[in-house]
Structures are given as structure tokens and as C-alpha cells.
Amino acid sequence: MALFRIERFTPLPPAEAWRRVTDWERHGGTVPLTSVTVPAGGSTGPGTVFVARTGVGPLGFDDPMEVVRWTPPAAGRAGVCRLEKRGSVVRGQASIDVCPTGFGSHVIWVEELRVRLLPRWADPLLAAAGRRVFSRELGVLLED
């Protein structure tokens, strides 16, 4: 599996940083060739499934993700969100933690990815590409 970790410090309070990094539809606006669909009226807690569609027209794939843990930050406690990637092309998990700091928040995003038909020797390349794309994405999501 390809593994990468991204960290950002932001002056945003934990509740606002959490809101931004768990606004799934907004993720689609930051990742190239990707849109995110969240069920209408759906909750955000455990059991919520949303789909990231990557591609152009009919050429692409769906990346369904299920929220398996949802603990928003509160009263000096870190927020923790865990996602399971359950697609036929992309499998794995993601973890997004939002920790309070003395001046704002520390956001930690960790992903473990496995892409079907991609040989294991390509995992370091996949991790580097993921780190680059999601680092940009996290920066955009946390911008003021």
C-alpha cells in the first residue's frame, strides 16, 4: 500500500478547520478532474457514504468512501475522522485529525492507498503523487 502523511498548522479554530476538511463536496473543487457527490440530506457521521468521481466524461472511476469514525473536536479534544475507501479501483483508508493548539489547529491527514492493477513497486510513486495532490488540497481547504 502507498502511505503518505500531510500536516498543516492553521490559525483557524478547531471547529472551523474541522468543518472545512470534512466538507466532502468542497474536496471535489480542489482535486483535478474530480467531483464529489454526497447523498442529499445525508448525515456526516459513521455510515455516511460519499463518492469521488475522477475522470473525463465516461472515462473515469468512482471512489466510494464510508465514514467509519466521526468525532468532531470539542472542549480542547482533537477531532478524528476515519474513512474506508471501498471502490473497485481504489482501496484503503484515510484519517483526518484536527488537534487544538495554542494559536489554532494542527491538521494531520494520513492515507493508505491501494490502486487495482498498479504493481506494488509503484507504491512510492503513488505515495509521492498522493502527497502532492492532497497537500495542495489541504492547503486550499484551510485557506482564509
Side-chain angles (χ1 to χ4, degrees), residues 59-132:
L59 301 176
F61 62 91
D62 290 339
D63 181 10
M65 291 171 251
E66 180 178 353
V67 177
V68 295
R69 181 165 179 203
W70 180 268
T71 308
R77 180 192 73 211
V80 179
C81 179
R82 301 283 186 268
L83 304 168
E84 292 287 335
K85 295 176 164 282
R86 303 211 169 142
S88 59
V89 176
V90 179
R91 307 282 292 179
Q93 59 188 6
S95 170
I96 303 170
D97 297 0
V98 177
C99 307
T101 66
F103 65 89
S105 304
H106 178 201
V107 179
I108 305 163
W109 181 326
V110 178
E111 289 230 15
E112 293 179 25
L113 300 174
R114 182 82 194 116
V115 176
R116 189 172 148 243
L117 301 178
L118 194 65
R120 296 213 185 270
W121 62 260
D123 285 350
L125 299 172
L126 179 59
R131 189 176 303 108
R132 183 180 182 112

